[in-house]
Amino acid sequence: MKKNTSILLGKNPTTGKNISWIPDLEKNPHLITIGGSGSGKTETLKAIMLELKNQKINSLILDFHNDFKVFADNLVQIDEATLHPLEVQINERPLDVAYKVSKMIANVFSLGEVQEAIVRDAIKQFYHKSGIKNLKEKNDGTIPLLPFRFFKDILYESEIKAPGIHKLIAKISVLFDVDLFMEADSTSVSLDTVIKKLSVIELLEFPTDEVKSLVGDLLLNKLINYLYAKGKTDEYWLYVVIDEAHRMMYPGSPVELLLRESRKYGVGVILASQRPTDFSETILANAGTIVAFQASLDKDAVFLSKQLRVNKEKFQKLNDAGLGYILFSSQDDAERIQILPVGKRKEYKEVAKNFDEEDASEYFLKEQKRIKKEKEKLESLETKYKKSQEMVRELKQDIHGLKGEIERKVYVIELSKKEMKIVEKENIVLSHENDKLTSRLRAKEKEAEKLAKKLKK
Ligand SMILES: Nc1ncnc2c1ncn2[C@@H]1O[C@H](COP(=O)(O)OP(=O)(O)OP(=O)(O)O)[C@@H](O)[C@H]1O
Ligand SMILES: [Mg+2]
């Protein structure tokens, strides 16, 4: 069942007609906004967040600047949790994770190919040291994992072997200052606690932009695996929102994968970025909805002009914040739009007034505790199940042993039955012979009697 979500974005400034985004009408539930600094992207995302909140639609925001906090039902202060960067999700192969995570690290820290390969090898070693023998085997939920802090030692040990490792360590050492990672043992924050109502993931507190982006990448990668496990649906049930998405866009990034795959799993992606070239042409050509604001660079205006089929000068001339062009995949032509900012939406005051940071972050903490308890319960049930399985196995063995014994006894009985039959037969023969002899004896006795009588006479 589809929800028929309708998000009021703003008005056509020429006709005065309202313009709403209805994801179900478009070829996919993704919306991309592009525009120069100060052109109104963040404001547009805020307006969309407000509408999603009003319509009680789940959304997940990666918030780099604390711009979206006020909308949060679930404020995910993620430093209250742990995230193991090398965690292998169910059905993932350790080898694939080694490639993916080394690529993420390489992207955020601008590593070269050789440095990326060193990180990848260190990750592989980490898995071997964790006790994983075959890195190509999918995780069925039982693979072991050392705490992330061991990765630091492994990387530092490769110091002797790999040239240029000092530079690499200098670049990425900030990872080892992040408690979120360093305190991660074998498990990570559960996505069930993160995808709840309107969740804002606070990234501002992390030490550098690189760490913020990496946390974003890791969470999105987790989300993708979560979606694969949850399965396909044609109901759009979650929107993932990323402002300043350029931080996380690179060929093969989790954002790209989400844009390509998430529609089938009922998830829309809402992105904002300053440059159209942050997105590949395929991504833009396939976006369900594009909102483009001012682009002062000629190159950017040309790119947008091609995608939205609007003269490039028009993008260069857009001067007001929130004034732009929107192209829906369901329509042939782009339309001019003036976004209605949150401040002018009647529900905003109410939301801002009612926002209670403590409540919103308390929600996350409570959810974490609840899920942890559930997990523990599940684990104890699993141990019980394993124990009873062991008992069943032992009983089966006992039964097997008893069956053997019974079979042996039956065999012995059958054998003695056969022997008895032989004895019986022999008995019959003997008794026949006995009869014969007795009758012969009788005859002889009679003869003897007769002889005796004759003699007396
Ligand atoms: N639709 C709008 N109506 C009225 N004012 C707006 C609108 N959109 C944005 N503004 C104003 O313009 C300013 C800049 O907007 P915003 O922060 O959304 O820009 P941005 O595109 O996100 O820029 P940056 O790329 O630097 O983050 C905001 O302070 C806001 O008040
Ligand atoms: Mg912005």
Side-chain angles (χ1 to χ4, degrees):
M1 194 193 73
K2 292 194 173 184
K3 271 190 179 154
N4 268 333
T5 307
S6 175
I7 308 283
L8 175 71
L9 294 176
K11 274 185 179 3
N12 179 322
T14 325
T15 64
K17 191 185 88 190
N18 275 345
I19 300 178
S20 292
W21 169 43
I22 303 168
D24 286 327
L25 297 184
E26 307 310 326
K27 66 178 172 190
N28 58 49
H30 308 327
L31 183 145
I32 293 179
T33 85
I34 304 164
S37 180
S39 62
K41 302 177 299 293
T42 300
E43 192 67 30
T44 305
L45 297 195
K46 282 184 186 170
I48 295 175
M49 292 327 308
L50 181 66
E51 298 299 323
L52 288 173
K53 187 181 170 83
N54 284 340
Q55 296 179 40
K56 301 205 175 350
I57 298 166
N58 295 327
S59 38
L60 176 70
I61 309 165
L62 297 183
D63 193 359
F64 291 99
H65 295 300
N66 272 1
D67 283 324
F68 299 93
K69 200 177 193 164
V70 69
F71 303 108
D73 301 314
N74 179 20
L75 187 62
V76 180
Q77 281 160 337
I78 199 152
D79 50 349
E80 298 283 352
T82 57
L83 182 62
H84 196 313
L86 305 179
E87 184 182 21
V88 184
Q89 313 291 318
I90 301 281
N91 277 334
E92 255 190 327
R93 303 185 320 162
L95 187 67
D96 296 337
V97 184
Y99 273 84
K100 258 189 277 188
V101 176
S102 58
K103 195 173 200 167
M104 289 176 197
I105 292 176
N107 173 65
V108 299
F109 293 103
S110 307
L111 303 184
E113 272 174 29
V114 178
Q115 290 176 323
E116 183 178 335
I118 297 172
V119 173
R120 190 167 57 233
D121 281 348
I123 297 177
K124 286 187 202 166
Q125 266 193 51
F126 175 87
Y127 288 140
H128 286 308
K129 284 212 170 150
S130 291
I132 304 172
K133 292 202 177 69
N134 184 358
L135 300 190
K136 290 183 183 164
E137 219 160 78
K138 282 185 180 173
N139 182 11
D140 59 356
T142 59
I143 74 159
L145 206 60
L146 285 170
F148 180 68
R149 55 179 180 280
F150 284 80
F151 182 66
K152 183 179 175 182
D153 305 331
I154 291 171
L155 199 66
Y156 279 62
E157 274 166 24
S158 58
E159 204 166 338
I160 328 132
K161 286 168 267 165
I165 184 102
H166 291 287
K167 265 193 193 162
L168 169 65
I169 288 176
K171 272 189 184 172
I172 72 170
S173 62
V174 61
L175 289 182
F176 308 124
D177 290 331
V178 180
D179 291 345
L180 176 75
F181 301 147
M182 293 310 271
E183 280 172 17
D185 48 23
S186 58
T187 54
S188 282
V189 57
S190 156
L191 266 195
D192 288 314
T193 58
V194 177
I195 314 174
K196 278 280 153 68
K197 300 185 179 188
L198 197 149
S199 298
V200 174
I201 300 184
E202 274 196 349
L203 296 169
L204 185 73
E205 300 300 323
F206 289 111
T208 63
D209 281 353
E210 287 88 352
V211 174
K212 289 173 200 168
S213 302
L214 185 63
V215 172
D217 267 353
L218 291 168
L219 285 174
L220 291 190
N221 182 52
K222 246 175 114 83
L223 174 68
I224 291 165
N225 282 295
Y226 181 94
L227 297 180
Y228 289 155
K230 196 168 172 353
K232 295 185 178 174
T233 168
D234 55 8
E235 186 190 345
Y236 299 148
W237 62 276
L238 173 74
Y239 287 86
V240 176
V241 184
I242 310 169
D243 197 0
E244 312 207 353
H246 65 272
R247 295 162 176 267
M248 296 171 61
M249 295 289 303
Y250 55 93
S253 65
V255 179
E256 261 202 26
L257 195 57
L258 258 190
L259 281 166
R260 269 205 319 246
E261 299 261 297
S262 67
R263 179 189 60 81
K264 293 173 249 167
Y265 299 88
V267 176
V269 184
I270 301 170
L271 299 179
S273 209
Q274 284 190 353
R275 310 275 316 270
T277 43
D278 292 332
F279 303 96
S280 75
E281 276 190 52
T282 0
I283 285 180
L284 277 188
N286 287 308
T289 306
I290 304 176
V291 187
F293 299 114
Q294 197 221 16
S296 39
L297 283 176
D298 198 60
K299 206 166 98 183
D300 290 353
V302 169
F303 198 100
L304 288 177
S305 161
K306 198 169 128 199
Q307 294 296 335
L308 281 87
R309 300 181 292 279
V310 170
N311 276 343
K312 71 163 187 173
E313 290 79 15
K314 289 193 172 165
F315 289 108
Q316 288 167 319
K317 275 189 212 148
L318 293 168
N319 284 325
D320 295 338
L323 184 62
Y325 287 88
I326 186 162
L327 178 65
F328 293 108
S329 64
S330 60
Q331 287 170 18
D332 292 336
D333 300 313
E335 190 177 359
R336 243 167 111 85
I337 186 168
Q338 174 67 53
I339 301 289
L340 182 66
V342 274
K344 287 193 183 160
R345 294 181 186 236
K346 60 177 189 316
E347 301 87 354
Y348 182 65
K349 273 199 190 103
E350 196 71 9
V351 166
K353 200 178 80 195
N354 290 339
F355 176 68
D356 183 329
E357 181 165 343
E358 238 169 67
D359 272 2
S361 48
E362 196 52 36
Y363 183 84
F364 173 63
L365 296 178
K366 270 191 194 151
E367 275 299 294
Q368 274 210 109
K369 269 188 204 144
R370 190 180 64 79
I371 300 253
K372 199 174 159 208
K373 259 195 194 153
E374 262 178 25
K375 230 180 172 179
E376 280 166 3
K377 233 194 228 167
L378 203 74
E379 272 166 9
S380 90
L381 278 177
E382 255 171 28
T383 342
K384 268 189 200 157
Y385 175 68
K386 273 190 192 142
K387 261 191 199 156
S388 52
Q389 259 188 335
E390 180 65 20
M391 263 167 71
V392 168
R393 210 176 55 83
E394 276 171 15
L395 282 174
K396 270 189 184 160
Q397 262 180 359
D398 286 354
I399 290 173
H400 189 74
L402 282 175
K403 265 190 185 162
E405 211 167 294
I406 289 173
E407 268 167 24
R408 268 193 306 280
K409 289 211 165 139
V410 167
Y411 178 74
V412 170
I413 290 171
E414 289 297 320
L415 208 66
S416 24
K417 267 187 189 164
K418 268 184 201 161
E419 274 171 8
M420 265 173 69
K421 267 186 192 157
I422 293 170
V423 171
E424 265 170 22
K425 264 185 196 164
E426 277 173 1
N427 268 350
I428 292 171
V429 174
L430 284 178
S431 81
H432 273 307
E433 260 170 37
N434 190 25
D435 287 351
K436 267 185 209 163
L437 286 176
T438 327
S439 56
R440 266 170 73 189
L441 188 69
R442 289 257 163 81
K444 289 277 175 202
E445 274 173 358
K446 271 182 189 167
E447 254 174 53
E449 264 174 40
K450 267 182 196 168
L451 276 175
K453 272 182 191 167
K454 263 185 192 174
L455 282 176
K456 268 187 190 171
K457 274 178 193 172

